[in-house]
C-alpha cells in the first residue's frame, strides 16, 4: 500500500533574463500544466522504516530523489565560464573535454510524462584548458528527428508524440501509435576519428559538432554490409526462426519504423590495436527466441576492418559486454516473450518493453566466449556452448575483462562488472518509474535490509579453460569483498581488455536511512592486487553519477595505471546545483583527494546523466 504525500516541487531551473549566453524559453500556453519533476509516492513501509508517520528527514529524502529528475529546458548559446569554488585545476591536468550524455526532459506541456530512459538527449560538455587552468560549460539538446517533431520552436512548447520503449503517453496518441522506437540519443557518447557521436540503445547514432554541440545529423556507421566479403558469418542454414524473421522485418521496419539493426550504446576501444569495437542486434530479435550479434571493428580513421556475426539460439537482452585480446565476452541476460504484455504493448496501453519479461528458468548464468579472429574460441571449444556461472546474475555494466595464458596452456579469463538479481530487475520499474501512475518511487531502488543483496553489486567472474577448451572452473565473487550496492565500474581506458590493477565505481555509503542504496554518494577505488578499497564521499544531500578516469598530462615513460584524476558530476540537491569534482586518483581515501570543484550556474543545473567520455585535445 502506498501513502501519497504532496511534496514541495523544487524550484524550476530557469535562466535569468539578462544572461547573454543562455537560450531563453517562453512560458507554455495558459492551459498547459506546470513544468515540474516527476511526482513520486512514499511507501508506508519500506526503505528500512516502518509505520505511517513520515518525519521531515523522510520528506526531504524523497524530495531529493525527485530533484534528480527535474527537466532542464535551457541550452547554452556560447560556452559559459564556470568558476572554481574549491581548490584549483591541477597544473598537470590535460586540456580536453568531459562529455556527459543523459536525458534532459521528462514532462511535456500536455500531460505526458516519460520514463527517464525515454527522455530527450541533453548533451553536457565541460571543456578544461589545462594551460590556462580554466573551464567552460556547454549544454544542448541533440536535434533528433523525435525532438524536432515534439518541440515547437515558435511557442517553445513540447508535445510528446513518440511512445518510446518505456513509456505510455497520457496527452498524446496511444492506440495505433506506431512511433515506438524513439531515438533520443541520450545514453552514451563516443569520439572517434574526430567525430563526436551520441548513442542510444535502439537506433543509429547522431553526430555532434564537438565544440558547439550543434547536431550534424544521423551518422551511418556502415553496419548493414550484407554484401561485404569481409563479414565472417558464424552460422549456417535457414530455420523456422529465420522464416519468422523474414516475416517480421517488413512490419517492424515498415510499420514501426525500426532500423534493421539495433546499435548498442556501449562500445569498446582496443588501445593496443587502436580499434573501435561496436555491437548491433537485429530488430526482430526482440520478439524471437534467438539472438543475432554483429561485432564490428574500425580503424583509427573509422574504416571498417572486420565484422563477425554470431547467432545464439536463445532469447537474450544485452546492454553491455566486454572484450579481451582474442575474444568478445557476452554475459547473456535471458528474456522471454510475454504474450499478454505484447498485446497490450501493440495496442498502446502499456510500454513496448512490457512485451518482454525476464526468464529466470535457469539457475545459472551463461557467458559466451566468442572468437574475435578465429573459428574456435579456445582450442576445439564450440563458441555456441556457453560457460555457466553457478549464480543467477543479470549483468548491467562491464568494467573490464582480460585473458592470460598459463604455461600448461590453460586460458584464464577474468570479468569485472556490475550485476543484480533476476528477482529485482524489472524493465518497467527502472529508477522506480511507474508508467501507470507516472510516479517515480525510490523504494524500488532502496530495498529493506536483507533484500539489498538483490540490488546491483560489483562482481568478479574468474574462469579457467584447458587447452582443448573444456571449462575447468568458473567462480563469481564480490569484487574485493565489497558488498555495498554499486554500479558504473570503469578503468583507465588504456588498460581496457588487458590485466588491470585498479577499478573505480559509484556506490552508496548506506548512511542515509531513507535512501540507503540509491542514488550513489561515493566514488570508490579498488586495488585488485592488494584487495584494498579506498573511498571518497560527498557531503550531505549530494549524489554522484558515473566516475571517469583522466590520465595525468605527462611525457614520462612508464606511467602508472592510477597516475591521473577522477572526474565526476556531483548533484547537490540541497542547494540545487551541479558541480564537476576532480579527484586525485592516487589520493583516494585521503583527506585531500579533492583537488578542484567547479560550479555549474544555477540556471543550468541539469538532471542526472548516464554515461560520459573524456576526450583529450
Amino acid at each position: 500500500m502506498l501513502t501519497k504525500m504532496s511534496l514541495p516541487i523544487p524550484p524550476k531551473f530557469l535562466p535569468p533574463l539578462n544572461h547573454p549566453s543562455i537560450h531563453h524559453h517562453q512560458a507554455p500556453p495558459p492551459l498547459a500544466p506546470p513544468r515540474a519533476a516527476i511526482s513520486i509516492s512514499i511507501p508506508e513501509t519500506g526503505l528500512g522504516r516502518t509505520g505511517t508517520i513520515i518525519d521531515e528527514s523522510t520528506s526531504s529524502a524523497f524530495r531529493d530523489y525527485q530533484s534528480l529528475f527535474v527537466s532542464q529546458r535551457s541550452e547554452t548559446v556560447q560556452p559559459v565560464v564556470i568558476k572554481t569554488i574549491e581548490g584549483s585545476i591541477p597544473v598537470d591536468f590535460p586540456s580536453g573535454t568531459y562529455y556527459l550524455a543523459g536525458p534532459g526532459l521528462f514532462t511535456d506541456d500536455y500531460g505526458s510524462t516519460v520514463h527517464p530512459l525515454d527522455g530527450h538527449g541533453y548533451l553536457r560538455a565541460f571543456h578544461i584548458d589545462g594551460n590556462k587552468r580554466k573551464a567552460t560549460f556547454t549544454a544542448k539538446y541533440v536535434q533528433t528527428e523525435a525532438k524536432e517533431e515534439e518541440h515547437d520552436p515558435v511557442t517553445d512548447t513540447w508535445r510528446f508524440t513518440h511512445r518510446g520503449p518505456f513509456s505510455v503517453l497520457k496527452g498524446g496518441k496511444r492506440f495505433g501509435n506506431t512511433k515506438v522506437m524513439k531515438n533520443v540519443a541520450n545514453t552514451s557518447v563516443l569520439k572517434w576519428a574526430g567525430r563526436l557521436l551520441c548513442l542510444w540503445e535502439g537506433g543509429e547514432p547522431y553526430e555532434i559538432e564537438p565544440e558547439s554541440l550543434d547536431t550534424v545529423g544521423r551518422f551511418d556507421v556502415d553496419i548493414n554490409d550484407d554484401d561485404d566479403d569481409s563479414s565472417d558469418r558464424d552460422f549456417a542454414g535457414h530455420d523456422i526462426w529465420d522464416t519468422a524473421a523474414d516475416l517480421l522485418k517488413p512490419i517492424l521496419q515498415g510499420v514501426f519504423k525500426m532500423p534493421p539493426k539495433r546499435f548498442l550504446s556501449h562500445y569498446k576501444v582496443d588501445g593496443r590495436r587502436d580499434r573501435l569495437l561496436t555491437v548491433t542486434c537485429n530488430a526482430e530479435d526482440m520478439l524471437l527466441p534467438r539472438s543475432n550479434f554483429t561485432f564490428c571493428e574500425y580503424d583509427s580513421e573509422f574504416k571498417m576492418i572486420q565484422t563477425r556475426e554470431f547467432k545464439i539460439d536463445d532469447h537474450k537482452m544485452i546492454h553491455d559486454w566486454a572484450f579481451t585480446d582474442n575474444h568478445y565476452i557476452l554475459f547473456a541476460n535471458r528474456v522471454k516473450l510475454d504474450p499478454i504484455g505484447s498485446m497490450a504493448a501493440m495496442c498502446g496501453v502499456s510500454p513496448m518493453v512490457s512485451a518482454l519479461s525476464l526468464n529466470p528458468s535457469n539457475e545459472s548464468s551463461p557467458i559466451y566466449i566468442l572468437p574475435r579472429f578465429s573459428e574456435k574460441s579456445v582450442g576445439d571449444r564450440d563458441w555456441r556452448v556457453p560457460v555457466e556461472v553457478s549464480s543467477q546474475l543479470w549483468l548491467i555494466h562491464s568494467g573490464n575483462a582480460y585473458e592470460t595464458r598459463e604455461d600448461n596452456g590453460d586460458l584464464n579469463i577474468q570479468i569485472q562488472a556490475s550485476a543484480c538479481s533476476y528477482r529485482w530487475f524489472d524493465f518497467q520499474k527502472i529508477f522506480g518509474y511507474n508508467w501507470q501512475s507516472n510516479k517515480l518511487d525510490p523504494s524500488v531502488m532502496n530495498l529493506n535490509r536483507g533484500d539489498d543483496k538483490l540490488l546491483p553489486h560489483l562482481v568478479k567472474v574468474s574462469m579457467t579453460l584447458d587447452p582443448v577448451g573444456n571449462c575447468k572452473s568458473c567462480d563469481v565473487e564480490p569484487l574485493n569483498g565489497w558488498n555495498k550496492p554499486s554500479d558504473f565500474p570503469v578503468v583507465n581506458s588504456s588498460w581496457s581488455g588487458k590485466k588491470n590493477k585498479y577499478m573505480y565505481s559509484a556506490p552508496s555509503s548506506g548512511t542515509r536511512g531513507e535512501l540507503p542504496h540509491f542514488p550513489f554518494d561515493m566514488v570508490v577505488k579498488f586495488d585488485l592486487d592488494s584487495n584494498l578499497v579506498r573511498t571518497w564521499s560527498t557531503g550531505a544531500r549530494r549524489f554522484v553519477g558515473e566516475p571517469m578516469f583522466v590520465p595525468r598530462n605527462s611525457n614520462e615513460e612508464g606511467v602508472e595505471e592510477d597516475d591521473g584524476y577522477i572526474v565526476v558530476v556531483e548533484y547537490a540537491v540541497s542547494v540545487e546545483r551541479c558541480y564537476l569534482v576532480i579527484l586525485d586518483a592516487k589520493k583516494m581515501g585521503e583527506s585531500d583527494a579533492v583537488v578542484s570543484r567547479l560550479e555549474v550556474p544555477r540556471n543550468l543545473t541539469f538532471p542526472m546523466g548516464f554515461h560520459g567520455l573524456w576526450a583529450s585535445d
Side-chain angles (χ1 to χ4, degrees), residues 150-166:
E150 297 186 339
H151 177 241
D152 186 339
V154 177
T155 62
D156 195 25
T157 56
W158 296 75
R159 183 165 196 160
F160 297 152
T161 57
H162 290 68
R163 291 168 55 189
F166 297 90

Side-chain angles (χ1 to χ4, degrees), residues 9 26-27 34-35 98 218 246 266 295 332 348-349 360 370 412 441 609:
I9 301 298
Q26 303 172 13
R35 298 166 179 168
Y98 172 56
R218 287 181 182 266
D246 291 340
H266 282 282
F295 290 82
V349 296
L370 307 177
N412 298 319
D441 185 354

Side-chain angles (χ1 to χ4, degrees), residues 222-223 276-279 294-298 304 306-308:
D222 190 25
I223 57 178
L276 169 68
L277 283 57
T278 66
V279 185
T294 302
F295 290 82
C296 301
E297 301 199 14
Y298 304 87
M304 183 182 292
Q306 70 171 38
T307 64
R308 301 212 66 179

